């Protein structure tokens, strides 16, 4: 493993550094941060936690890119978001307004050439999965996807075969070691903003004057469309209620939404429910959809295909309601109820305690 | 314009996999193998673009042991015009090497589009498309659920499945696209096409001939079964469920 000394931390790229003053050799990590509406996404905080679990002497910086006031607001938010964070790097440029992989990968490459981090980490979100492997190719290193455990500075565990096996790999390559981490596997500290003010990270602007984007103009961002939903975010919800093919129609999913409303839960779906057109595909939970690990996961009319289990098997409590007593979902459920969901949901709505 | 499609031979998605007792990997002997489902979607999209007049030729590529030729034969039966088999006996070829091989092939074949699946269902990496795009310095449209080619403008518009909705990007050709599940419904190979595929050409090359070294910066230490969840209980009523959730699990 290549380590850097404090003296090699150049200050010409960043206007200030807040790397802890120590004569010991340091590991440094760059976290690629995703932000929206002036807030750093919770999944990035999990990536910082993962970076913190590599070793004690890890100096962690988060890189935020974009343009304008919302970026600067996100930088302030990031600075007080996690006690392990020592520096917030801000790359403010119109080229970076939208998270295009071409621009971002070039930016990561640019920053790495200057600062020589030992690790580059991001969350396994669609943002992280889109950008990190491209940046890894530019840096000629093998990235490691969906890390759920860091047992040694270069030893990582990740699920393979839709979560039906766990693979432990050692990274033997050159710096940087590049990871995407599963957000639900690395807890974020529950600090209030006031408490965390004592660990305020320094904010530095990245000098982009020498940033030449080789892929400029090859891709254009057109638009993003988001379904209107007032439910909590699926990946971060404390409670998730999911419907499968057994829901039978989009109309019946409304019943599930009413229940979700009562439980302050997010609504999820199986691939069968999405393909049948009951709900939008960003609600899909599974190997190819969202990975969730809520405190309570309630599956209605879900058979429990291995691809679906891959997305929810780490939930704390799993409840399954299904007419078929042989459905595989009952093998992973803590509590099972064999019955018609069209009887059970109304009964739950009636009997659930109100806060 | 030519379209190159990359495909991987994997354990069939419906197989319940078994971890080897010595923890070196997953049992693959006497296990049904198939084309990775996302690769089928990639090939289907290439064929549809060709059928609508957007491309002149579809070339299927696979990297792996002699058996990978079966996957290429399936691709030819679905409608690919010809195939390239990069033969290697290496037990594992990681995405970094795969992307270097694909990038070298792209230099030779000069496709206008390179289409891949978004991930292989064995290693679940979700890296190769992004990495080959990076190496080639081509733009990328990952997790595509809709692809519209504009031949005049030499552009492709890709609707991408991202967290929280759909994102649309426009890429100048040549470009790399990786396919999500909802992009299309792959066709079945018909018997006449399976017969015809037997006379189509599968060209063999080695990584050495492409000047690509098999990269080994990763080492699998062990493969284990995931921890089992403890057996649950079947309850008899909604009342009992609410009681358990509130008083035993304490999640309500």
């Amino acid at each position: 493993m290549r380590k850097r000394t404090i003296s090699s931390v150049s200050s010409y790229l960043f206007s200030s550094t807040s790397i802890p003053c120590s004569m010991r050799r340091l590991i440094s990590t760059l976290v690629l941060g995703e932000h929206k509406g002036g807030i750093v996404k919770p999944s990035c905080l999990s990536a910082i936690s993962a970076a913190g679990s590599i070793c004690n002497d890890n100096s962690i910086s988060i890189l935020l890119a974009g343009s304008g006031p919302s970026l600067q607001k996100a930088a302030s938010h990031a600075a007080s978001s996690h006690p392990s964070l020592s520096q917030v790097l801000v790359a403010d440029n119109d080229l970076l307004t939208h998270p295009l992989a071409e621009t971002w990968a070039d930016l990561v490459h640019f920053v790495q050439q200057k600062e020589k981090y030992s690790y580059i980490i991001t969350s396994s979100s669609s943002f992280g999965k889109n950008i990190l492997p491209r940046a890894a190719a530019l840096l000629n290193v093998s990235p490691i996807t969906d890390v759920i455990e860091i047992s040694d500075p270069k030893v990582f565990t990740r699920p393979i075969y839709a979560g039906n096996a766990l693979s432990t790999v050692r990274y033997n390559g050159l710096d940087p070691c590049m990871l995407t981490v599963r957000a639900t596997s690395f807890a974020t500290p529950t600090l209030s903003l006031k408490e965390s003010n004592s660990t305020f990270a320094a904010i530095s602007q990245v000098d982009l004057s020498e940033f030449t984007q080789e892929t400029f103009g090859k891709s254009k961002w057109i638009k993003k469309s988001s379904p209107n939903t007032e439910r909590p975010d699926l990946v971060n919800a404390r409670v998730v209620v999911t419907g499968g093919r057994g829901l039978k129609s989009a109309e019946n999913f409304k019943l599930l939404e009413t229940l979700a409303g009562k439980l302050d839960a997010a609504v999820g779906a199986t691939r069968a429910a999405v393909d049948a057109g009951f709900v939008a595909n960003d609600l899909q939970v599974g190997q190819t959809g969202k990975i969730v690990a809520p405190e309570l996961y309630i599956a209605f009319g879900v058979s429990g295909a291995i691809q679906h289990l891959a997305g929810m098997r780490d939930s704390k409590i799993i409840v399954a309601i299904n007419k078929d007593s042989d459905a595989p979902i009952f093998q992973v459920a803590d509590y099972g109820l064999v019955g018609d969901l069209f009887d059970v949901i109304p009964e739950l709505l009636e009997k659930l305690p109100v806060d | 314009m030519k379209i190159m499609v990359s495909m991987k031979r994997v354990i069939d998605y419906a197989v319940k996999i078994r971890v080897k007792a010595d923890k070196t990997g997953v049992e693959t002997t006497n296990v049904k193998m198939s084309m990775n489902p996302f690769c089928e979607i990639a090939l289907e999209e290439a064929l549809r673009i060709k059928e609508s007049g957007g491309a002149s030729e579809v070339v299927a590529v696979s990297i792996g042991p002699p058996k990978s030729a079966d996957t290429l034969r399936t691709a030819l039966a679905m409608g690919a015009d010809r195939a390239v088999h990069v033969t290697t006996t290496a037990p594992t070829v990681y995405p970094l090497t795969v992307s270097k091989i694909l990038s070298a092939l792209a230099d030779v074949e000069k496709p206008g589009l390179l289409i891949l699946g978004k991930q292989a269902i064995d290693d679940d990496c979700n890296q190769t498309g992004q990495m080959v795009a990076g190496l080639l310095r081509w733009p990328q449209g990952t997790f595509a659920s809709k692809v519209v080619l504009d031949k005049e403008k030499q552009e492709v518009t890709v609707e991408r499945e991202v967290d929280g909705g759909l994102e649309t990007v426009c890429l100048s050709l040549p470009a790399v696209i990786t396919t999500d599940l909802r992009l299309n419904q792959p066709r079945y190979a018909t018997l006449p096409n399976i017969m015809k595929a037997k006379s189509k050409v599968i060209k063999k090359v080695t990584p050495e001939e492409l000047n690509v070294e098999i990269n080994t910066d990763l080492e699998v230490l062990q493969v284990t079964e995931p921890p089992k969840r403890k057996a649950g209980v079947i309850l008899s009523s909604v009342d009992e469920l609410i009681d358990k959730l509130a008083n035993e699990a304490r999640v309500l």
Side-chain angles (χ1 to χ4, degrees), chain A residues 217-234:
Chain A
K218 289 186 179 179
S219 62
K220 283 197 301 272
W221 191 89
I222 308 288
K223 64 171 181 187
K224 177 165 177 185
S225 53
S226 311
N228 291 320
T229 172
E230 283 161 23
R231 298 258 58 82
D233 174 42
L234 186 52

Side-chain angles (χ1 to χ4, degrees), chain A residues 99-102 106 125-126 129-130 133-134 136-138 140-145 155 158 160-173 214-215 217-227 238 263 271 274-275 281-282 284 287-288 290 295-296 306-307 313-319 321 330 332-338 344 347-348 351-353, chain B residues 11 13-17 19 26 28 38 94 96 100 118-119 121-127 130-131 133-140 142-143 145 155 157 160-172 180-182 215-227 229-239 241-242 244-245 248-252:
Chain A
L100 287 167
E102 295 76 17
D106 279 350
S125 58
S126 61
K129 286 178 183 171
N130 189 37
R134 184 180 177 106
L138 300 180
N140 193 25
V141 300
S142 280
I144 304 168
T145 297
V155 178
R158 56 181 300 268
I160 55 173
Y161 289 95
N164 287 291
L166 299 178
S167 174
T168 303
V169 294
R170 178 189 284 134
Y171 181 70
N172 295 327
E214 290 190 42
T215 45
K218 289 186 179 179
S219 62
K220 283 197 301 272
W221 191 89
I222 308 288
K223 64 171 181 187
K224 177 165 177 185
S225 53
S226 311
R238 199 184 70 84
L263 289 165
R271 187 185 167 201
V274 171
D275 284 353
N281 54 33
D282 60 320
Q284 187 189 322
Q287 183 186 20
T288 58
K290 301 278 194 312
E295 282 185 41
L296 175 60
I306 53 174
Q307 291 82 3
R313 66 191 310 152
D314 295 329
S315 305
K316 194 171 149 229
I317 298 290
I318 298 173
V319 176
I321 288 111
F330 286 121
V332 299
D334 299 279
Y335 302 112
L337 202 55
V338 180
V344 174
E347 201 179 338
L348 274 172
K351 292 181 176 171
L352 275 174
Chain B
I11 293 183
Y13 75 95
V15 170
K16 177 107 180 71
I17 60 119
V19 172
V26 165
T28 52
F38 291 102
Y94 291 106
L96 180 59
K100 284 178 183 174
K118 81 162 176 184
Q119 77 192 62
I121 60 165
D122 52 1
D123 61 22
D124 285 333
C125 275
N126 195 332
Q127 297 171 345
Q130 295 88 312
M131 295 183 82
L135 293 176
L136 289 165
R137 296 281 180 184
W138 292 1
Q140 68 189 50
T142 52
F143 327 139
S145 58
E155 277 178 356
T157 303
R160 309 177 53 232
E161 289 190 16
V162 295
D163 298 340
L166 293 168
E167 186 182 78
T168 311
V169 292
C170 182
L171 316 171
S172 59
D180 217 317
L181 276 175
R182 269 156 295 271
N215 186 293
T216 52
D217 57 5
L218 289 178
E219 175 192 358
V220 175
L221 301 180
Q222 63 167 22
V223 174
T224 55
E225 291 202 9
R229 289 187 72 95
K230 71 171 174 37
V233 288
I234 297 288
L235 309 174
S236 57
S237 70
V238 169
D239 292 316
L241 174 63
I242 291 174
K244 292 278 190 191
L245 291 179
E248 191 177 271
R250 297 184 181 279
V251 285
L252 281 187

Side-chain angles (χ1 to χ4, degrees), chain B residues 92-164:
Chain B
T92 315
V93 185
Y94 291 106
L96 180 59
T97 306
V98 172
S99 56
K100 284 178 183 174
I101 290 171
L102 292 175
S103 146
L105 282 174
D107 285 342
V108 178
E109 298 280 351
K110 307 220 178 318
L113 268 182
L114 170 57
I115 312 184
L116 306 87
K118 81 162 176 184
Q119 77 192 62
I121 60 165
D122 52 1
D123 61 22
D124 285 333
C125 275
N126 195 332
Q127 297 171 345
T128 305
Q130 295 88 312
M131 295 183 82
V132 67
L135 293 176
L136 289 165
R137 296 281 180 184
W138 292 1
Q140 68 189 50
T142 52
F143 327 139
S145 58
K146 193 178 171 192
V147 172
V148 180
L149 181 73
D150 186 331
K151 243 173 113 179
E152 297 295 304
K153 287 189 185 161
Q154 285 287 295
E155 277 178 356
V156 63
T157 303
V158 180
E159 201 173 271
R160 309 177 53 232
E161 289 190 16
V162 295
D163 298 340

Side-chain angles (χ1 to χ4, degrees), chain A residues 23 69 109 178 241 263 293 339:
Chain A
M23 292 310 287
H109 182 253
M178 297 179 76
V241 294
L263 289 165

Side-chain angles (χ1 to χ4, degrees), chain B residues 1 8 40 43 88 90 108 129 144 165 172 177-178 199 217 227 239:
Chain B
M1 183 187 80
K8 186 175 185 183
E40 286 186 5
L43 177 59
T88 162
V108 178
S172 59
I177 291 172
T178 74
S199 60
D217 57 5
D239 292 316

Side-chain angles (χ1 to χ4, degrees), chain A:
Chain A
M1 180 187 320
R2 206 173 82 203
K3 297 185 179 182
R4 302 182 305 140
T5 57
I6 268 286
S7 60
S8 75
V9 179
S10 54
S11 56
Y12 63 86
L13 174 61
F14 308 118
S15 50
S16 77
T17 64
S18 70
I19 290 158
C21 201
S22 154
M23 292 310 287
R24 291 158 72 184
R25 292 158 78 83
L26 281 181
I27 303 283
S28 60
T29 299
L30 182 68
V31 172
L32 311 186
E34 189 182 8
H35 60 96
K36 191 189 171 190
I39 304 284
V40 176
K41 292 205 173 172
S43 57
C44 302
L45 305 185
S46 297
I48 299 171
S49 293
S53 73
I54 291 171
C55 65
N56 291 332
D57 294 331
N58 195 349
S59 158
I60 306 169
S61 305
I62 188 170
L63 174 63
L64 296 175
S67 59
S70 113
L71 172 67
Q72 302 302 332
K73 206 172 151 219
S76 318
H77 174 243
S80 62
S81 64
H82 200 295
S84 304
L85 192 66
S86 52
Q87 186 170 232
V88 180
L89 305 176
V90 182
D92 191 339
N93 191 293
D94 288 343
L95 287 174
L96 298 160
T97 304
H98 301 294
L100 287 167
E102 295 76 17
T103 327
W104 257 91
D106 279 350
L107 175 69
V108 172
H109 182 253
F110 172 75
V111 172
Q112 174 64 16
Q113 292 304 318
K114 301 260 188 179
E115 278 298 294
K116 313 283 184 211
Y117 291 95
S118 15
Y119 292 84
I120 300 181
I121 301 183
T122 190
S123 73
S124 297
S125 58
S126 61
F127 164 86
K129 286 178 183 171
N130 189 37
I131 294 161
L132 187 119
R134 184 180 177 106
L138 300 180
L139 294 162
N140 193 25
V141 300
S142 280
I144 304 168
T145 297
D146 250 358
V147 170
I148 59 169
E149 194 188 328
I150 300 172
S151 44
D152 182 270
K154 291 285 165 91
V155 178
F156 312 99
T157 302
R158 56 181 300 268
I160 55 173
Y161 289 95
N164 287 291
L166 299 178
S167 174
T168 303
V169 294
R170 178 189 284 134
Y171 181 70
N172 295 327
L174 300 172
D175 282 357
C177 175
M178 297 179 76
L179 317 171
T180 69
V181 298
R182 189 171 279 190
T184 55
S185 300
F186 297 93
T188 52
T190 47
L191 279 181
S192 77
L193 211 60
K194 207 176 165 189
E195 283 172 294
S196 61
N197 273 350
S198 54
T199 58
F200 223 85
I203 299 177
S204 316
Q205 305 291 324
V206 179
D207 176 4
L208 293 169
S209 56
E210 286 170 49
F211 176 48
T212 49
Q213 218 231 125
E214 290 190 42
T215 45
F216 177 68
K218 289 186 179 179
S219 62
K220 283 197 301 272
W221 191 89
I222 308 288
K223 64 171 181 187
K224 177 165 177 185
S225 53
S226 311
N228 291 320
T229 172
E230 283 161 23
R231 298 258 58 82
D233 174 42
L234 186 52
V235 175
N236 300 303
R238 199 184 70 84
V239 182
V240 173
V241 294
T242 298
R245 204 197 305 267
L247 261 288
K248 294 204 176 86
S249 73
E251 200 53 41
N252 291 336
F253 249 88
K254 300 238 163 61
L255 207 57
L256 210 58
E257 277 165 26
T258 313
L259 181 65
K262 191 151 184 199
L263 289 165
D264 194 28
V267 174
T270 64
R271 187 185 167 201
V274 171
D275 284 353
F278 301 168
V279 287
N281 54 33
D282 60 320
L283 294 191
Q284 187 189 322
V285 171
Q287 183 186 20
T288 58
K290 301 278 194 312
I291 310 287
V292 301
E295 282 185 41
L296 175 60
Y297 188 90
I298 315 182
F300 292 94
V302 172
S303 65
I306 53 174
Q307 291 82 3
H308 182 72
L309 300 185
M312 45 67 85
R313 66 191 310 152
D314 295 329
S315 305
K316 194 171 149 229
I317 298 290
I318 298 173
V319 176
I321 288 111
N322 205 303
K323 272 200 291 201
D324 176 7
S325 58
D326 292 330
I329 188 83
F330 286 121
Q331 289 163 25
V332 299
D334 299 279
Y335 302 112
L337 202 55
V338 180
D340 190 332
L341 64 94
F342 295 110
D343 297 331
V344 174
I345 296 180
E347 201 179 338
L348 274 172
L349 280 171
E350 189 193 313
K351 292 181 176 171
L352 275 174
V354 185
D355 285 332

